[in-house]
Amino acid sequence: MKKEVDARGKACPKPVIMTKKALDEIESGVVITIVDNEIAKENVSKLVKSMNYNFKVEKTKDNDFIIHITKGEAVEAKRNTCQPNIFKDMTVVFSSDKMGKGSDELGKILMKGFIYTLTESIPYPSTLLFLNSGVKLTTEGSEVIDDLKKLEEQGVEILSCGTCLDYYDLKDKLKVGEVTNMYTILENMKNAANTIVL
């Protein structure tokens, strides 16, 4: 079976939701999703990777992206390889660049200490999500970039909300991790065995 999803002109996370719906509607076959911007292409690609389907991306002369997804040919998931388990199925949500309420200065010190402690504590959380002003922690000028990079090198998934990066005009200043969308944020929070919101 073959389905086509034309998500050009659709705002985030609509292309992801439309693609997921099309994939859910077929048992096996090909879904072709067409988007018209880089962020939508990245978000749909991440969805497909998370579902372990094969895909390839083609860029047209009109700067559209055509994503060919094959359902039914799962690739071997990294999590199934023989590696020591240093991760806990836990998502930590950073909804602010400060920790707690009260003094902003103290809140920044606490947040810096918390993220450093994460680098020293095994098992690591599987995913760190950054929302609202929390995206300031993953962008240029952040005091915790080096610690976050250490976590990323160990395999911790680091995701920053694309809408939030746009709001704070930090889209081009992301220094660690990847941009994500509300669909992926919800799926992470919903599916993790444990979710901690700061």
Side-chain angles (χ1 to χ4, degrees):
M1 180 174 281
K2 184 174 178 180
K3 292 182 79 79
E4 184 172 308
V5 175
D6 188 349
R8 286 174 289 190
K10 304 292 184 186
C12 167
K14 205 72 183 285
V16 173
I17 293 170
M18 292 168 70
T19 302
K20 173 75 164 49
K21 187 178 175 188
L23 286 165
D24 288 344
E25 287 174 352
I26 62 170
E27 287 217 6
S28 63
V30 175
V31 170
I32 296 174
T33 297
I34 307 170
V35 295
D36 57 5
N37 63 81
E38 187 80 26
I39 290 177
K41 185 253 303 181
E42 289 298 322
N43 285 333
V44 172
S45 298
K46 284 176 199 165
L47 167 75
V48 178
K49 280 182 193 172
S50 74
M51 299 175 83
N52 295 321
Y53 297 141
N54 288 319
F55 73 101
K56 63 179 180 180
V57 180
E58 173 189 343
K59 188 173 183 178
T60 72
K61 61 182 180 182
D62 297 323
N63 290 322
D64 291 335
F65 295 94
I66 302 175
I67 307 164
H68 300 261
I69 307 160
T70 304
K71 182 176 181 180
E73 294 180 10
V75 296
E76 187 179 4
K78 189 188 288 185
R79 66 173 70 92
N80 291 334
T81 59
C82 183
Q83 294 178 346
N85 186 13
I86 59 169
F87 299 101
K88 185 172 184 177
D89 186 9
M90 178 171 70
T91 293
V92 181
V93 181
F94 296 81
S95 59
S96 169
D97 59 336
K98 306 169 195 70
M99 192 170 192
K101 295 180 179 176
S103 164
D104 286 353
E105 183 181 3
L106 176 59
K108 287 183 178 180
I109 292 170
L110 293 175
M111 183 62 82
K112 188 176 177 182
F114 179 81
I115 292 174
Y116 172 75
T117 304
L118 282 179
T119 68
E120 299 293 316
S121 177
I122 293 176
Y124 300 119
S126 50
T127 304
L128 305 182
L129 289 174
F130 294 85
L131 310 175
N132 210 317
S133 64
V135 298
K136 294 179 181 176
L137 297 168
T138 60
T139 50
E140 191 176 299
S142 165
E143 294 182 352
V144 296
I145 287 294
D146 289 343
D147 287 336
L148 291 176
K149 284 184 175 176
K150 283 180 192 171
L151 290 167
E152 186 178 42
E153 286 167 6
Q154 293 299 323
V156 176
E157 186 177 35
I158 295 178
L159 302 172
S160 293
C161 161
T163 302
C164 309
L165 289 167
D166 280 338
Y167 181 84
Y168 288 105
D169 198 21
L170 293 170
K171 189 175 169 185
D172 299 325
K173 296 182 179 176
L174 187 68
K175 292 297 180 186
V176 62
E178 298 179 0
V179 180
T180 191
N181 59 80
M182 196 51 70
Y183 177 83
T184 302
I185 291 168
L186 177 61
E187 288 293 299
N188 264 287
M189 294 175 72
K190 196 169 62 176
N191 295 329
N194 297 290
T195 298
I196 297 173
V197 180
L198 300 177

